[in-house]
Amino acid sequence: MHAHPDDESSSTGATIARYCAEGAQVTLVTCTLGEEGEIVPDDLGHLKPGAVLASHRLDELHAAARALGLTDYVRLGGDGRYHDSGMAHAEDGTATARDETTDTAFWNADLLEAALNLVSILRDRRPQVVVSYDPFGMYGHPDHVMAHRVMTYACVLSGVHGYRPELGKPWTVARTFWTTNGSDDMATIISTAKANGVTSLWGDVDLDGPLPPMITRSEDVDVRVPLGQYRANKIAALTAHHSQVDMTDPFWRLMTDIESLGESFRLATGVPLPHPSTDLFEGLELTA
Ligand SMILES: [Zn+2]
């Protein structure tokens, strides 16, 4: 479950591509269409935030899904139910909510209503594993935070017998995970950046000191899915998000050029698994 288009590719692209290729049933739930987000390339400067940008980003999401081999992807509550809340910059460099947001912004969504929208999807698809953000939303984007809350709440409600039976038969998710970045991968990215003269990125990150919220000590990462053969899918999917991703930018190059990197996850709830693991489903019984 992701807040807006491109996060499915940037933080879980290889993971989605891998499980689709291995024949797992994968569903992507996107909460907003990123219609308040930054428009990166000059050639799309005519797109203005709002409905036009939403429709453009939905097209990009279709292309990214194709690149990942993903066929089942939906928007929470249906297209246009929740809008991008935008973000402001906090003094410490993380993101935070804007002072003013619209009534339909995801940040202002009623938590129960939004969770029930996800409960109907959970009870229909019956996933063993659900992935979303950590409580801080990786770097603080309000819609990431909201996605975390909605996912966490919905996974509780979904399993309760006799609760809202009109939304489907109860379903208990075996594991929930938070996306993160492992400190070992970040060390690789930072040293590669330095070696290539890129000083604008992560220059002030000290991996031996207190870590920023988007980085987790590698020993606390529960599952790391290597990019491996699915790195190409991830690159193709990110490239599809042309309105917000410039693949010539060192930030994206570093995230995708280094073959040894992986996508990292922390086990939030559910069945423990061997540590470290490379499989979100390790030890779970296959279901039909
Ligand atoms: Zn995001």
Side-chain angles (χ1 to χ4, degrees), residues 190-208:
I190 291 168
S191 65
T192 309
K194 274 199 187 127
N196 286 278
V198 178
T199 53
S200 54
L201 297 168
W202 304 290
D204 51 356
V205 173
D206 172 13
L207 292 174
D208 297 321

Side-chain angles (χ1 to χ4, degrees), residues 2-7 10 133 139 141 144:
H2 285 288
H4 34 234
D6 97 343
D7 280 343
S10 59
Y133 311 84
Y139 62 86
H141 193 298
H144 294 191

